[in-house]
Amino acid sequence: MKIIVPMAGRGSRLRPHSLTVPKPLIPVAGQPIVHRLVKDIAKVLKQPIDEIAFVLGDPAWFGDEVVSSLQDLARDLGAKASIYRQDKPLGTGHAIMCAGPSLSGPAVIAYADTLIRAEFDLDPNADSVIWTKQVENPQAYGVVKLNANADIVELVEKPETFVSDQAVIGIYYFKEVAVLKEKLQEILDENVMNGGEYQINDGIKRMMADGKVFKTGTVNEWMDCGNKAITIETNQRMLGFLKADGEEQLVATSVKLENSNIIEPCFIGENVLLKNSTVGPYVSIGHDSVVENATIKNSLIQTNTTIKNTNLDHAMVGNHVKYDGKYTSISIGDYSVLE
């Protein structure tokens, strides 16, 4: 089994945090988004992963440090890491085709701006599985249309009239991904574009027209990381899941507490100092950070950051930040100093 991960976009909606760090590498509950996504997919698949192919953007943005972290992720899952580049933002179908040499055999394609919780078996009768989540307002999403056999027969973008309440979340399984590759190559050769881009949906629609069987794989939880507010919400939900699972140590043994309290669930990284402070619930703090004379809840603090003399709620603070102030619901990017 292979996992193909297009992650070339910078994530403009998550600025200022994505000005210095690609959005898929911004930590949620102590781990980069893409790391959690790939690990959760591997857990759902319940089978060995042979290769993980990452499609990255400009090397100036997705440089050696990013590549190294992704290679480590693949290695930890016992897989080969393949690195490809998408030089121009020409859409989802184009990004997948940038990983051409890896497009053979069974594969999962997953876009690295979402997190999931799921538990299901892949349907052996399906040529492809499109992962979906039941939503209350399907008119705001791309949804699947099903026939009487629960086969997916159409993809409908933001339907004005009810089609189904199963929204496409951007994760796909293909029993033979080379078939998708063939159809996407046709799309590229014929210059079939939507919104100025080559889309995976156009390749999928051609597979459906050829009679390929598409089924749904329904996830229990679908968590976006599109902007500050929703990323903080995802951090909260993920911390709750991880606490309930009991599989990860969320508070490092090297954390130093001086007249301070941690209200779980929280992620507190290595060598963090908490002094005269209350942290939690639903707070993530990266390694080598300092919190002094502060109360923090429902917030995401990155690494090597110092927070003093404040009460923070629904805040997001980057790496190497020094913040000393009275503001509450802040969003501060890397290397900022506010004193």
Side-chain angles (χ1 to χ4, degrees), residues 210-230:
D210 285 347
K212 299 299 183 184
V213 176
F214 282 73
K215 295 286 189 178
T216 59
T218 304
V219 300
N220 301 321
E221 297 288 343
W222 172 30
M223 295 163 281
D224 191 13
C225 299
N227 56 39
K228 175 215 165 187
I230 206 163

Side-chain angles (χ1 to χ4, degrees), residues 50 71 76 87 91 114 159 202 230 232 238 241 322:
D50 303 312
Q71 290 172 333
D76 290 344
D87 296 331
T114 189
D202 290 316
I230 206 163
I232 289 173
M238 184 59 69
F241 295 140
K322 293 183 179 180

Side-chain angles (χ1 to χ4, degrees), residues 123-130 147 149-152 173 175 207-208 210-216:
D123 189 330
N125 297 316
D127 296 298
S128 179
V129 174
I130 298 178
N147 65 13
N149 296 322
D151 297 339
I152 301 172
Y173 163 76
K175 184 182 291 186
M207 290 179 65
M208 290 178 179
D210 285 347
K212 299 299 183 184
V213 176
F214 282 73
K215 295 286 189 178
T216 59

